[in-house]
């Protein structure tokens, strides 16, 4: 069977930090042996994921049922790779592409919204304040997130806003 | 280092510990002054942001917020100490990326310039464990012990993000770590090695079954060596072990009862604080074994 390579997909991935390193992968499989996700889900295989990225198999990688969410983010593949491909960083870059397209597990989307709105990844509750006061710790001040909107504006939007002024 | 010149270092508290596990913050604030460390609280810090979910949404945004946090320490000329492995990973990775990639640094600085900030790269990030080892010294930790934890056996779970990627974290050997073993030994306790000591806790895995199976194997390997407790250093791992045991017992008919302690709670016990003062009584798995002797 002829394999059609999708170079556009690889170019798109290469825009993302450390998304360009997959080209160095020579499929040795050093990332597989100590991968905990592989141990607990035989269908998960970082070497195969890298191969699919090399082929540009976009529809398998960027989808609701993408295998990348079974990665534990343990960074062992980063340690083992002799080519410094940083497979876990490629996997995170794939997640970045999914986020751009709105394909995202709901729990993950919630956490990101919480960080952007409150400056914290977990919400402060009355239980938090009770625990803190019982331990003699001061209450938690609200986090100032006023700078987020400006520093997180995409480059094009920020430039346009600057021109308008 | 002498008593006359305390080590001043800026505190990066993160989110999980101050909000969900303030007993760990309390243990840090009690034990560090006894080691000649002056904790400097800085205003204006936010979530690091977290190296799993936030990073998975947009690496550039993740790096931008991390760089902004680093400018807060830079502005007062101090280094950061972190108490959460996740914060340590984010801030260390940010320093690494921005210092090794001038193009990326320029891009991030253009963003920070919109609020009058500039990332320079002058603030180092140190996990508190490396501050103890490299700045305070294990001998001084040992000298602060009033009630040695004699007879207490501790199975140590290092977790992933304290150690990896090792070229960036530079904390310890990721396959054969020993910094926490050395510190636990300094408290008079005995570290015991379990089969699964470098297995991931599974927290970041978006699946119900996989983390539960990892946790089951991990806890079973701690039972095998009959450790009195698990010693952890990461708040995410803590949650998987502490609340996680109750879930496994309830949902999968397991019978685990291994108390879990954050390293600084053990240090606190050894320095003479009570289990209550260190919030050990607030854990889901009750910490009977930790107050022996």
């Amino acid at each position: 069977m002829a394999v059609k390579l999708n170079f556009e997909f690889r170019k798109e991935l290469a825009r993302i930090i450390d998304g360009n390193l997959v080209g160095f992968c020579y499929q040795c499989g050093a990332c597989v042996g100590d991968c905990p996700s592989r141990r607990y889900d035989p269908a998960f295989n970082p070497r195969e994921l890298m191969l699919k990225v090399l082929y540009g198999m976009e529809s398998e990688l960027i989808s609701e049922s993408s295998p990348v969410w079974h990665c534990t983010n343990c960074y062992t593949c980063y340690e083992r790779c002799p080519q410094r491909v940083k497979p876990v960083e490629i996997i995170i870059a794939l997640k970045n592409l999914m986020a751009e397209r709105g394909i995202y597990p709901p729990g993950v989307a919630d956490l990101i919204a919480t960080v952007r709105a409150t400056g914290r990844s977990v919400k402060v509750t009355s239980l938090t304040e009770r625990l803190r006061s019982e331990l003699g710790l001061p209450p938690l001040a609200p986090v100032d997130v006023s700078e987020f909107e400006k520093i997180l504006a995409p480059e094009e939007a920020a430039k346009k806003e600057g021109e308008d002024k | 280092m002498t008593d006359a010149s305390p080590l001043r270092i800026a505190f990066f508290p993160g989110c999980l510990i101050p909000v969900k596990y303030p007993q760990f913050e309390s243990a840090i604030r009690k034990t560090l002054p006894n080691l000649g460390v002056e904790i400097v609280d800085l205003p204006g810090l936010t979530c690091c942001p977290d190296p799993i979910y936030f990073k998975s949404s947009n690496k550039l945004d993740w790096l931008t917020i991390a760089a902004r946090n680093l400018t807060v320490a830079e502005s007062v000329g101090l280094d950061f100490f972190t108490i959460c492995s996740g914060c340590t990973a984010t801030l260390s990775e940010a320093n690494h990326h921005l210092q090794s990639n001038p193009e990326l640094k320029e891009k991030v600085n253009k963003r920070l310039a919109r609020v009058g900030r500039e990332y320079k790269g002058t603030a180092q990030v140190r996990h508190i464990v490396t501050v103890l080892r490299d700045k305070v010294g294990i001998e001084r930790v040992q000298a602060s012990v009033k009630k040695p934890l004699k007879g207490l056996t501790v199975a140590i779970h290092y977790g992933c993000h304290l150690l990896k990627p090792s070229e960036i974290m530079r904390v310890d050997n990721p396959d054969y770590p020993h910094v926490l073993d050395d510190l636990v030994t300094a408290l008079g306790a005995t570290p015991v090695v379990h089969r699964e000591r470098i297995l991931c806790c599974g927290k970041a895995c978006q699946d119900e079954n996989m983390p539960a199976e990892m946790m089951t194997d991990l806890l079973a390997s701690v039972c095998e060596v009959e450790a009195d407790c698990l010693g952890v250093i990461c708040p995410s791992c803590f949650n998987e072990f502490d609340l996680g045991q109750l879930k496994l017992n309830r949902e999968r008919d397991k019978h685990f009862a291994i108390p879990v302690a954050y390293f600084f709670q053990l240090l606190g016990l050894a320095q003479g604080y009570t289990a209550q003062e260190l919030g050990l009584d607030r854990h889901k798995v009750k910490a009977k074994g930790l107050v022996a002797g």
Side-chain angles (χ1 to χ4, degrees):
Chain A
M1 193 188 77
V3 176
K4 200 173 168 214
L5 299 185
N6 177 356
F7 286 107
E8 285 309 309
F9 180 68
R10 268 172 61 182
K11 271 189 210 155
E12 206 185 338
L13 197 65
R15 284 188 294 116
I16 296 166
I17 299 166
D18 281 343
N20 58 334
L21 302 169
V22 70
F24 297 109
C25 176
Y26 52 33
Q27 289 286 293
C28 69
C31 50
V32 180
D34 288 329
C35 171
S37 296
R38 165 72 177 176
R39 176 171 160 191
Y40 291 90
D41 171 12
F44 184 95
N45 184 321
R47 182 192 60 75
E48 274 177 21
L49 281 173
M50 294 308 108
L51 184 62
K52 285 176 181 173
V53 174
L54 285 167
Y55 284 158
M57 295 165 82
E58 187 172 349
S59 59
E60 281 192 42
L61 297 167
I62 307 292
S63 81
E64 305 269 347
S65 57
S66 176
V68 299
W69 289 105
H70 278 189
C71 170
T72 64
N73 282 63
C74 76
Y75 283 75
T76 304
C77 56
Y78 186 124
E79 296 293 322
R80 299 287 180 262
C81 178
Q83 287 289 87
R84 304 170 66 79
V85 166
K86 309 182 186 174
V88 59
E89 291 290 354
I90 306 290
I91 287 170
I92 298 169
L94 288 167
K95 291 175 180 174
N96 278 199
L97 281 186
M98 276 194 267
E100 281 179 19
R101 299 175 195 187
I103 309 168
Y104 232 63
V108 179
D110 281 354
L111 184 136
I112 292 153
T114 304
V115 171
R116 291 187 76 135
T118 70
R120 290 194 171 101
S121 60
V122 275
K123 289 182 180 127
V124 176
T125 63
S126 53
L127 177 67
T128 305
E129 294 304 6
R130 188 165 58 80
L131 275 173
R132 292 185 63 84
S133 109
E134 285 169 10
L135 289 159
L137 294 169
L140 289 171
V143 173
D144 180 1
V145 292
S146 59
E147 293 181 9
F148 277 6
E149 201 179 338
K150 284 182 182 158
I151 63 175
L152 298 184
E155 275 55 33
E156 307 77 41
K159 201 175 159 195
K160 206 174 162 205
E161 195 183 299
E163 284 165 0
D164 289 346
K165 275 177 192 161
Chain B
M1 198 171 64
T2 65
D3 285 327
S5 61
L7 172 69
R8 295 185 80 239
I9 181 159
F11 183 30
F12 192 87
C15 304
L16 265 183
I17 289 180
V19 177
K20 282 183 80 179
Y21 313 113
Q23 65 270 33
F24 300 172
E25 181 183 337
S26 171
I28 293 267
R29 290 192 187 274
K30 283 184 171 70
T31 54
L32 289 192
N34 300 332
L35 301 172
V37 178
E38 184 188 337
I39 300 171
V40 182
D41 287 286
L42 297 178
L45 300 172
T46 70
C47 178
C48 58
D50 101 89
I52 309 295
Y53 305 113
F54 204 92
K55 185 178 180 182
S56 72
S57 72
N58 187 314
K59 288 196 200 185
L60 185 61
D61 287 355
W62 165 76
L63 203 55
T64 304
I65 296 181
R68 187 199 158 282
N69 278 323
L70 288 164
T71 66
V72 176
E74 288 179 358
S75 68
V76 291
L78 292 173
D79 288 338
F80 265 139
F81 79 90
T82 50
I83 59 174
C84 160
S85 303
C87 301
T88 317
T90 286
L91 298 176
S92 303
E93 286 180 44
N95 258 342
H96 170 83
H97 279 297
L98 296 168
Q99 287 168 21
S100 61
N101 185 338
E103 235 173 88
L104 197 55
K105 184 177 166 189
E106 198 190 325
K107 199 168 184 177
V108 166
N109 267 334
K110 275 188 182 159
R111 286 176 153 211
L112 295 179
R114 299 172 194 160
V115 293
R117 293 184 183 272
E118 185 193 357
Y119 168 87
K120 296 187 184 76
T122 52
Q124 286 198 40
V125 177
R126 300 176 190 280
H127 189 280
I128 186 61
V129 154
T130 67
V131 175
L132 259 49
R133 182 190 60 195
D134 304 333
K135 295 283 172 180
V136 171
I138 302 254
E139 304 73 27
R140 185 156 183 185
V141 173
Q142 194 167 8
S144 79
V145 171
K146 289 183 183 149
K147 285 186 176 173
L149 306 180
K150 263 198 148 140
L152 185 77
T153 54
V154 185
I156 296 165
H157 180 78
Y158 281 84
C160 299
H161 296 269
L162 175 69
L163 304 172
K164 297 177 279 187
S166 58
E167 64 173 359
I168 295 174
M169 305 311 290
R170 294 168 187 269
V171 169
D172 207 344
N173 182 320
D175 296 317
Y176 304 98
H178 56 85
V179 56
L180 287 169
D181 293 69
D182 298 347
L183 284 166
V184 161
T185 304
L187 308 183
T190 307
V192 288
V193 175
H194 53 296
R195 261 189 309 124
E196 304 287 7
R197 80 200 287 253
I198 59 165
L199 178 59
C200 175
C201 78
K203 165 91 174 169
C205 188
Q206 295 293 304
D207 186 70
E208 285 280 311
N209 197 45
M210 291 163 66
E213 287 186 10
M214 289 183 199
M215 214 22 73
T216 303
D217 287 349
L218 252 162
L219 291 164
S221 87
V222 173
C223 289
E224 269 173 28
V225 295
E226 298 179 348
D228 295 324
C229 70
L230 250 163
V232 300
I233 197 63
C234 168
S236 288
C237 298
F238 171 80
N239 190 47
E240 291 300 290
F241 282 119
D242 190 44
L243 182 62
Q245 283 186 70
L246 294 198
K247 279 178 71 183
L248 287 176
N249 291 350
R250 201 172 52 224
E251 294 165 15
R252 295 181 180 238
D253 196 26
K254 304 288 179 195
H255 305 281
F256 293 119
I258 308 164
V260 190
Y262 180 63
F263 169 75
F264 286 84
Q265 292 176 306
L266 296 178
L267 176 59
L269 283 177
Q271 286 185 351
Y273 298 99
T274 66
Q276 286 73 24
E277 284 175 300
L278 299 160
L280 279 160
D281 53 335
R282 289 159 200 275
H283 296 185
K284 304 287 182 203
V285 180
K286 295 305 167 203
K288 281 177 234 150
L290 291 181
V291 277

